[in-house]
């Protein structure tokens, strides 16, 4: 007994070591555009851009590939971000900070507050210089009685340094008063008695003039004379008549946000740029957070709620510059995604990224080329280079051109006509409105070896596309597939299918449609599979599945899986895209409808009616997956709704009819726990164009618990998953083992079951924690390996509705490791998850960002470097006037290490120190400080800059 125990113990520790070598869970990178941005900061000297968000995140961006972030512990919005010269430690106790000035001397920080006081803080010691604070009383002393009597000054709106004399600071109060303050003599030099609500201030570079912008849509020019007070502005202009909220920049360019007449254009988000005779109102599709201008001015950088837009002010027409990162993944809502690992160079070069900076592609050539394809509500598919820390946009395919959509050609009111006032120009690519929701992409499959791509949509459309380097004009004809197959008593109540254009369409170089299948009824396509070697595509909806030969362009097989009681499947699209509110409305309408119809038939049978109502209510909620439904495994009745919905399709060359001859086959799994297998006869290569492909039904499995089938995998004689189509032909996988028996692994929502082939007898099973209501939501096969050993082994990766990841061994189907990954309440995050072939994954952490994670010790993509702050000379006399050409207060003569200060609501100031990149928080009430995040490390992909750091 002891001997056995001892051996087993040794075996256990060896297995644990093996586990540690292969598996480790990390959330690695956040790709995409920050969700709900709330603040913008820029340091010209460091060439870093900072974005703060409403959830307390702060993200910094440098050269392409340089992205890093810090996250506050508390969930408070970041309201301002400022880069400070020199390192600083802890802010003073103040009320809410409304304006910040990082003084160019590098020795002071001025904080304007809600109460109208200005605190002066010494850096780097961060001691409050109480004798230098500027109180409201000091400011009001020399103002005429009637001016003060009429108005309370309210909060400090802006703080500005004189560009020619840093010892003079302009303080602007929200009710309109501006004061020029002398920091050395600690007294006011000049008061500017503005009478309109102040929005922002700009000090012209000549030092002699100030521009102020106001809530009535006007801006004023004031002259700095020293004569006190100045009661009237030099000049006052209202660019758009009765208007609102401008911000200003010095002529010869005048740039301001807002200013639009509220009555007519109150809902527009505009920035106007005026330069000599050119005047444009840049019209954005989401709210403007902030903007800045890069010197000279050469470019305007605008942060709006859903994207970052950079406008080139040096080129005629002021075009928008394509940025290498922060590209909004969600310009149209993301409806599905698909990941392809290790793309062959030949295909990669054909969908190569657009050149940045006039022909030079800044994306480093990756060690392994990976693509993430995202499908969108507007019928586009976007290809992203997912090889590294930065998601680079590579290629965009639009399927809308094939169809006649509901889009009204006169709808394009945004493009300004000649002489229109205000002169609007639509900018940015975020467009939340789809021309026609039926165009939405639901499923994508790309074969990286043949270059064939198949995409399927919301209205039953399946397109097969092939790569062509030339533009081509062609008509696309639809093959209609009737999945109801003339069954009586069914009437589709959902959307109509899209109309196909009858005239030829000019398709640009790239992926061009070579075949189109249209399902009837036109329900959402719920599953697809592409076999590029056999030139077949399989597709499924809530009504059944079909098989199409895109080489000969004909349908091979149609199978209706609809149960006679599946009335719900005829109600319309079961689309993830529709809003939860709409789903709730529809579901409860449906419940009411069925109650009425039930009452007619079962007036006496109250108990039966209650049971049906309860089930319908549960289904309505389950359909939307608002929350994980807690339940034990229980048999589902065969008349549950959507039992016929096809969840998964799979092609395999395996033993279906007998154990001596393998044959091509198609497998389909449904929501009602059924698995259908069809044997296929695919003609030899030389007869492929003439002889038909033939399919006939071979097997049917019905799982006892009728749980939805979410995955099917055939394991070869060695227990390894079958390779992908063409993978062996391209020498990228070994041939499958055809000696020894094959096994079929059926993954349902509730358990994994292994069957022997061809007999289909049950061999082993693994129940997934049925008691706590766990259900499988996503499943994928992945290869794992240690960092040292070349050997790879395949495992199954599973995501549950609780947001947990499980790695399961093959072929023994035993649990190896499990990790919590996504919050169980984050239903859309769980639904959006996609696995890679090498143990990584992506899920939408917000509508605009993918969180990337890795389960593998060997394949991890994460930021790994430090940004060094430039070291510059300190001036001998810090108080001498320095001409400031750097808006962040870092004059070129300074020797500095930079920090970034973050102002948060409520009452927190934080500090992101560079180069140590630590986030320090200090509560402004109790002054206690905490380190809320460990050091942040950053990945630098520019050549020759790799200073790695382990933290």
């Amino acid at each position: 007994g002891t001997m056995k125990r001892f051996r087993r113990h040794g075996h256990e520790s060896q297995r644990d070591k093996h586990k540690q070598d292969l598996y480790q869970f990390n959330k690695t990178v956040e790709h995409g555009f920050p969700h709900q941005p709330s603040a913008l900061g820029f340091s010209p000297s460091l060439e870093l851009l900072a974005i703060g968000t409403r959830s307390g995140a702060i993200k910094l961006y440098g050269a392409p590939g340089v992205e890093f972030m810090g996250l506050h512990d508390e969930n408070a919005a970041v309201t301002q971000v400022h880069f400070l010269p020199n390192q600083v430690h802890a802010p003073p106790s103040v009320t809410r900070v409304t304006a910040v000035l990082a003084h160019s001397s590098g020795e002071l920080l001025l904080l304007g507050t809600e109460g109208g006081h200005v605190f002066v803080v010494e850096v780097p010691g961060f001691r409050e210089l109480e004798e230098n604070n500027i109180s409201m009383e000091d400011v009001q002393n020399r103002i005429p009685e009637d001016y003060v009597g009429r108005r309370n000054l309210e909060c400090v709106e802006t703080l500005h340094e004189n560009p020619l004399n840093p010892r003079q600071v302009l303080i602007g109060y929200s009710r309109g008063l501006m004061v020029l303050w002398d920091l050395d003599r600690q007294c006011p030099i000049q008061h500017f008695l503005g009478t309109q609500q102040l929005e922002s201030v700009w000090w012209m570079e000549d030092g002699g003039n100030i521009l102020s912008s106001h809530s009535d849509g006007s801006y004023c020019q004031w002259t700095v004379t020293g004569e006190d007070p100045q009661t009237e502005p030099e000049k006052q202009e209202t660019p758009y008549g009765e208007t609102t909220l401008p911000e200003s920049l010095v002529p010869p360019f005048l740039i301001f946000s807002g200013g639009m007449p509220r009555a007519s254009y109150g809902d527009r988000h505009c920035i106007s740029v005026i330069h000599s005779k050119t005047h444009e109102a840049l019209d954005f599709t989401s709210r403007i957070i902030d903007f800045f201008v890069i010197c000279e001015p050469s470019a305007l950088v605008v942060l709006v709620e859903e994207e970052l837009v950079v406008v080139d002010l040096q080129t005629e027409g002021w075009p928008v510059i394509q940025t290498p990162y922060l590209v909004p993944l969600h310009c149209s809502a993301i409806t599905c995604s698909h990941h392809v690992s290790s793309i062959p160079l030949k295909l990669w070069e054909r969908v190569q990224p657009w050149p940045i900076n006039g022909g030079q592609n800044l994306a480093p050539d990756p060690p392994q080329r990976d693509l993430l394809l995202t499908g969108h509500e507007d019928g586009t598919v976007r290809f992203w280079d997912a090889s590294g820390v930065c998601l680079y946009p590579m290629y965009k395919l639009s399927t809308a051109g094939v169809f006649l959509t509901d889009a009204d050609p006169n709808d394009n009111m945004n493009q300004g006509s000649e002489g229109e006032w205000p002169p609007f120009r639509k900018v940015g690519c975020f467009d939340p409105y789809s021309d026609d929701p039926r165009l939405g992409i639901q499923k994508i499959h790309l074969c990286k070896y043949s270059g064939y791509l198949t995409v399927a949509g919301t209205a039953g459309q399946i397109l097969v596309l092939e790569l062509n380097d030339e533009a081509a004009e062609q008509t696309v004809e639809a093959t209609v597939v009737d999945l109801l197959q003339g069954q009586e008593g069914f009437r589709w109540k959902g959307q109509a299918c899209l109309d196909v254009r009858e005239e030829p369409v000019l398709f640009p170089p790239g992926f061009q449609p070579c075949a189109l299948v249209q399902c009837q009824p036109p329900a959402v396509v719920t599953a697809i599979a592409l076999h590029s070697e056999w030139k077949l595509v399989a597709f499924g909806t809530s009504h059944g599945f079909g098989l199409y030969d895109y080489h000969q362009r004909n349908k091979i097989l149609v199978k209706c899986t609809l149960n006679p009681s599946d009335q719900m499947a005829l109600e319309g699209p079961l689309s993830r895209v529709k809003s939860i509110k709409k789903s709730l409305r529809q579901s409860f309408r449906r419940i009411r409808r069925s109650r009425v119809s039930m009452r007619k038939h079962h007036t006496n049978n109250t108990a039966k009616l209650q049971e049906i109502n309860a089930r319908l209510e549960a289904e309505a909620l389950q359909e939307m997956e608002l929350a994980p439904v807690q339940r034990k495994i229980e048999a589902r009745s065969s008349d549950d709704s959507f039992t016929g919905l096809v969840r998964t399709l799979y092609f395999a060359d395996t033993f279906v009819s007998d154990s001596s001859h393998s044959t091509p086959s198609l497998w389909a799994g449904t929501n009602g726990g059924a698995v259908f297998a069809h044997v296929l006869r695919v003609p030899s290569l030389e007869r492929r164009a003439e002889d038909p492909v033939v399919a006939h039904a071979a097997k049917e499995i019905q799982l006892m618990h009728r749980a939805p089938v979410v995955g099917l995998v055939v394991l070869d004689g060695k227990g390894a998953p079958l390779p992908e189509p063409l993978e062996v032909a391209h020498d990228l996988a070994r041939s499958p083992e055809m000696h020894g028996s094959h096994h079929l692994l059926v993954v349902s929502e509730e358990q994994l079951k292994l069957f022997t082939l061809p007999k289909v007898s049950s061999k082993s099973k693994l129940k997934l924690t049925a008691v706590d209501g766990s259900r499988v939501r996503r499943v994928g096969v992945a290869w794992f390996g240690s960092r040292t050993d070349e050997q790879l082994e395949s495992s199954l990766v599973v995501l549950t509705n609780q947001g947990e990841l499980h790695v399961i061994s093959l072929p023994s189907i035993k649990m190896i490791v499990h990790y919590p990954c996504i919050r169980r309440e984050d239903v859309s995050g769980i639904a959006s998850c996609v696995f890679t072939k090498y143990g990584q994954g992506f899920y939408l952490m917000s509508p605009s960002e993918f969180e990337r994670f890795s389960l593998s010790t060997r394949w991890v993509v994460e930021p790994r470097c430090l940004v060094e702050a430039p070291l510059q000379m300190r001036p001998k006399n810090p108080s001498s006037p320095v001409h400031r050409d750097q808006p962040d207060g870092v004059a070129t003569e300074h020797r500095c290490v930079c920090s970034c200060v973050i102002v948060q609501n409520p009452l927190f100031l934080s500090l992101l120190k560079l180069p140590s990149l630590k986030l320090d928080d200090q509560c402004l009430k109790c002054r206690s400080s905490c380190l809320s995040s460990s050091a942040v490390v950053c990945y630098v992909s520019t050549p020759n800059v790799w200073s790695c750091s382990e933290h």
Side-chain angles (χ1 to χ4, degrees):
T2 42
M3 189 73 177
K4 266 185 191 163
R5 263 207 302 278
F6 179 74
R7 261 158 72 197
R8 208 159 123 212
H9 178 74
H11 180 67
E12 287 291 316
S13 60
Q14 198 179 341
R15 215 173 74 191
D16 285 347
K17 186 184 179 310
H18 185 61
K19 254 190 226 181
Q20 285 163 1
D21 280 352
L22 262 54
Y23 312 104
Q24 128 194 348
F25 176 70
N26 285 302
K27 288 190 180 180
T28 54
V29 192
E30 293 179 4
H31 294 297
F33 184 78
H35 185 48
Q36 297 184 321
S38 50
L40 177 67
F42 175 60
S43 164
S45 60
L46 291 175
E47 296 186 324
L48 283 180
L49 172 84
I51 294 178
T53 73
R54 294 220 290 257
S55 60
I58 182 89
K59 302 201 169 193
L60 285 105
Y61 302 88
V66 179
E67 299 183 22
F68 47 101
M69 67 167 288
L71 186 64
H72 288 85
D73 281 346
E74 73 287 344
N75 210 3
V78 175
T79 56
Q80 297 180 46
V81 178
H82 300 268
F83 284 89
L84 307 178
N86 302 325
Q87 287 233 356
V88 295
H89 295 103
S93 174
V94 291
T95 60
R96 193 166 76 91
V97 174
T98 52
V100 175
L101 171 62
H103 195 262
S104 63
S105 64
E107 297 177 352
L108 299 175
L109 186 67
L110 277 71
L111 305 174
T113 66
E114 204 166 27
H117 293 282
V118 177
F119 290 85
V120 181
V121 174
E122 182 184 56
V123 287
F126 231 80
R127 186 170 60 86
E128 186 183 332
L129 303 174
E130 286 182 42
E131 66 284 4
N132 292 31
N133 286 350
I134 306 163
S135 73
M136 206 175 273
E137 294 70 47
D138 300 338
V139 168
Q140 283 176 332
N141 284 343
R142 285 162 41 190
I143 308 173
E145 265 313 301
D146 59 332
Y147 184 82
V148 178
R150 270 191 305 122
R151 46 204 328 114
N152 168 10
L153 300 181
E154 288 192 354
C155 72
V156 176
E157 195 65 51
T158 62
L159 289 167
H160 261 272
E161 207 173 303
N162 183 339
L164 299 185
N165 180 357
R167 305 313 293 169
Q168 294 182 358
V169 171
L170 185 75
I171 307 163
Y173 297 91
S174 61
R175 293 299 286 271
L177 174 73
M178 294 184 294
V179 179
L180 185 55
W181 187 265
D182 188 314
L183 291 175
D184 294 329
R185 306 210 319 268
Q186 293 184 28
C187 68
I189 301 166
Q190 188 175 355
H191 292 73
F192 304 92
L193 307 184
T195 54
Q196 281 294 337
Q197 182 84 16
L198 182 70
E199 294 295 330
S200 72
V201 166
W202 186 263
W203 201 317
M204 288 165 141
E205 278 172 6
D206 59 12
N209 288 287
I210 290 163
L211 289 180
S212 62
S213 68
H214 303 276
S215 63
D216 66 344
S218 67
Y219 67 90
C220 302
Q221 185 172 332
W222 309 80
T223 311
V224 182
T225 56
E227 292 170 23
D228 197 35
Q230 187 168 344
T231 52
E232 290 289 318
E234 198 82 350
K235 67 172 189 192
Q236 179 167 6
E237 286 197 23
T238 305
Y240 299 115
E242 285 288 307
T243 53
T244 157
L245 290 185
E247 289 191 14
S248 345
L249 175 77
V250 48
F253 273 91
L254 178 71
I255 300 176
F256 58 85
S257 69
M260 287 292 139
R262 273 208 182 99
S264 338
Y265 305 111
D267 57 344
R268 291 281 178 103
H269 313 288
C270 294
I271 290 184
S272 298
V273 185
I274 304 167
H275 176 57
S276 64
K277 289 200 166 59
T278 316
H279 181 152
E280 266 192 356
L282 304 174
D283 186 9
F284 297 87
T285 54
S286 58
R287 195 169 59 87
I288 293 158
I289 307 293
D290 204 352
F291 67 87
F292 62 85
V293 171
I294 295 173
C295 50
E296 290 172 7
S298 60
L300 167 68
V301 180
V302 186
L303 174 67
V304 292
E305 188 120 56
E306 304 292 351
E307 60 187 314
L308 184 86
V309 180
V310 183
V311 180
D312 179 352
L313 297 177
Q314 289 181 319
T315 306
E316 201 180 337
W318 297 335
V320 169
I321 299 168
Q322 175 70 284
T323 56
Y325 48 64
L326 279 170
V327 183
L329 300 169
H330 64 310
C331 0
S332 167
I334 296 173
T335 46
C336 67
S337 47
H338 173 66
H339 185 275
V340 191
S341 303
S342 319
I343 303 284
L345 186 62
K346 194 172 142 197
L347 176 61
W348 189 261
E349 285 172 340
R350 292 176 80 181
V351 290
Q352 194 51 297
W354 34 262
I356 309 168
N357 294 351
Q360 177 204 6
N361 171 24
L362 292 181
D365 194 40
Q368 177 175 309
R369 293 175 292 271
D370 288 357
L371 276 179
L372 180 67
L373 281 68
T374 54
H376 299 266
E377 197 176 17
D378 63 359
T380 57
V381 177
R382 288 157 208 262
F383 287 57
W384 303 88
D385 173 352
S387 320
V389 165
C390 219
L391 267 194
Y392 288 96
M394 288 182 75
Y395 171 78
K396 174 183 155 187
L397 157 76
S398 176
T399 61
V402 176
F403 306 100
L404 292 163
T405 63
D406 287 350
D408 180 358
N410 307 324
D411 220 13
N412 213 353
M413 52 142 191
N414 298 310
Q415 293 309 329
S417 52
E418 210 47 48
E420 182 199 13
W421 192 260
F424 291 119
R425 169 160 76 104
K426 190 114 171 74
V427 276
C429 64
F430 175 73
D431 180 8
Y433 305 106
S434 168
D435 289 343
D436 188 330
R438 295 175 299 172
L439 288 167
I441 306 293
Q442 294 291 331
K443 296 286 168 193
I444 304 170
H445 191 119
L446 170 70
C447 170
K448 61 187 179 188
Y449 307 112
S450 66
Y452 275 100
L453 169 71
T454 178
V455 297
T458 306
Q461 72 273 30
I462 299 106
L463 273 165
V464 182
L465 305 106
E466 58 187 333
L467 265 176
N468 183 359
D469 297 328
E470 306 291 319
E473 194 170 29
Q474 63 204 62
T475 20
V476 183
E477 280 177 38
T479 301
V480 177
V481 173
D482 176 15
L483 288 166
L484 294 182
Q485 295 198 283
Q487 292 215 24
E488 290 300 306
F490 283 117
R491 195 169 65 79
W492 172 247
K493 304 181 185 75
Q495 64 207 356
C497 66
L498 285 157
D499 294 322
V500 182
R501 286 183 193 273
E502 287 173 10
E503 71 281 3
V505 180
L506 181 67
F507 294 102
F511 285 97
Q512 296 171 351
C514 58
L516 168 62
V517 175
Q518 178 59 59
C519 296
Q520 285 296 355
V524 173
V525 178
T526 54
I528 57 172
L530 172 75
H531 201 297
S532 43
E533 203 164 347
W534 303 337
K535 297 204 164 27
L536 299 174
V537 61
F539 49 89
T541 72
S542 46
H543 307 124
F545 60 94
L547 179 63
Y548 178 79
D549 172 356
Y550 61 85
H551 191 58
Q552 292 187 22
R553 308 209 178 171
N554 57 19
K555 51 190 175 202
I556 307 302
L557 157 72
V558 183
K559 165 82 177 163
C560 179
T561 52
L562 203 64
N563 187 299
S565 64
D566 259 6
Q567 281 302 327
M568 256 202 224
L570 293 156
E571 291 288 332
L574 168 71
S575 165
R576 261 207 336 247
V577 191
K578 64 186 173 178
S579 73
I580 279 179
K581 276 185 189 156
K582 191 173 162 195
S583 311
L584 264 173
R585 267 204 312 276
Q586 286 179 346
S587 305
F588 287 106
R589 237 184 246 142
R590 189 156 58 223
I591 289 164
R592 280 203 301 277
R593 262 210 310 276
S594 25
R595 281 180 180 161
V596 171
S597 63
M598 284 294 178
R599 219 163 279 151
K600 284 180 195 158
H601 297 107
H602 304 272
T603 33
N604 316 336
N605 200 341
T606 328
K608 174 82 174 161
L609 180 65
Q610 282 171 336
E611 180 200 309
I612 286 165
N613 285 343
R615 203 181 72 228
L616 279 162
E617 240 152 283
E619 268 163 9
L621 289 164
Q622 189 187 324
E623 178 189 332
M624 295 168 309
E625 305 200 3
L626 277 177
V629 182
Q630 300 288 322
R631 63 178 196 77
K632 296 186 171 148
I633 287 189
E634 57 195 47
R636 301 172 190 225
S637 70
S638 59
D639 61 2
D640 270 13
S641 65
F642 291 117
T643 50
L645 186 139
V646 177
R647 287 287 284 269
T648 184
L649 290 160
Y650 179 72
F651 285 110
D653 186 352
T654 186
F655 304 94
V656 185
S657 313
D658 64 73
S659 49
S660 47
H661 302 95
S662 72
T663 169
S665 59
L666 170 66
W667 300 76
T670 74
N671 228 20
V675 178
F676 300 95
H678 285 74
V679 167
L680 311 176
R681 196 179 71 225
V682 182
S684 62
L685 211 54
E686 48 279 6
R687 303 287 307 158
R688 183 63 185 85
E690 299 83 47
D691 295 0
V693 173
V694 182
H696 62 259
K699 293 270 190 291
E700 198 175 314
I701 307 168
Q702 177 62 61
L703 299 179
M704 278 168 56
H705 294 300
R706 303 185 185 276
V709 177
V710 291
L712 295 165
V713 183
V714 170
L715 306 176
D716 71 6
K718 285 189 172 161
L722 294 186
E724 286 180 55
L726 292 172
E727 201 173 9
V728 177
H730 283 74
D731 290 332
L732 286 155
R734 63 168 183 80
S735 298
E737 180 58 73
M738 297 315 254
H739 297 294
S741 63
H742 282 195
H743 288 92
L744 170 70
L745 176 61
V746 177
V747 182
S748 79
E749 278 192 354
E750 294 169 357
Q751 60 187 18
L752 286 79
K753 210 161 183 183
L754 202 62
F755 295 92
T756 55
L757 290 176
K759 283 198 174 70
V760 193
S761 51
S762 174
K763 188 184 177 188
S764 56
K765 66 181 173 191
L766 171 67
K767 280 193 178 182
L768 266 166
T769 51
V771 182
D772 67 6
S774 265
R775 298 203 211 159
V776 176
R777 281 286 172 262
R778 283 275 172 280
V779 62
V781 170
W783 294 91
F784 291 90
S786 70
R787 288 196 181 116
T788 47
D789 186 14
E790 281 302 292
Q791 203 58 43
L792 295 183
E793 58 182 69
S794 62
S795 308
L796 209 63
V797 181
V798 160
L799 173 73
T800 72
N801 62 337
Q802 311 284 319
E804 290 192 328
L805 291 166
H806 297 268
V807 181
I808 293 158
S809 64
L810 292 175
S812 60
I813 57 169
K814 289 196 164 51
M815 259 327 167
I816 307 175
V817 283
H818 73 101
Y819 308 98
C821 178
I822 310 175
R823 287 180 310 111
R824 62 160 63 159
E825 298 76 29
D826 185 1
V827 174
S828 57
I830 292 169
S832 67
C833 183
V834 54
F835 295 127
T836 82
K837 285 271 176 287
Y838 294 98
Q840 296 187 54
F842 298 81
Y843 68 89
L844 286 172
M845 55 181 286
S846 76
S848 60
E849 299 163 287
F850 277 109
E851 173 80 72
R852 184 181 191 129
F853 61 85
S854 175
L855 290 159
S856 168
T857 51
R858 183 149 160 191
W859 287 286
V860 184
V861 171
E862 63 182 342
R864 296 289 293 190
C865 287
L866 283 177
V867 168
E868 301 288 349
L871 293 175
Q872 296 159 333
M873 294 297 292
R874 235 182 206 300
K876 291 183 178 68
N877 177 5
S879 60
S880 65
V882 176
H883 178 65
R884 212 163 41 94
D885 57 355
Q886 304 286 19
D888 65 349
V890 183
T892 41
E893 298 92 328
H894 290 192
R895 175 187 176 81
C896 81
V897 175
C898 227
S899 300
C900 165
V901 73
I902 302 143
V903 180
Q904 265 191 308
N905 273 337
L907 310 196
F908 267 92
L909 282 184
S910 316
L911 190 76
L912 189 59
K913 292 187 207 144
L914 303 171
S916 65
L917 301 171
K918 282 191 167 65
L919 255 184
D920 283 327
D921 273 9
Q922 191 170 47
C923 175
L924 303 183
K925 283 183 183 149
C926 64
R927 299 193 190 202
S928 66
S929 176
C930 71
L931 194 67
S932 73
S933 145
S934 61
V936 187
V937 283
C938 158
Y939 168 108
V940 183
S941 66
T942 47
N944 313 325
V945 189
W946 285 98
S947 43
C948 282
S949 160
E950 295 285 341
H951 280 279

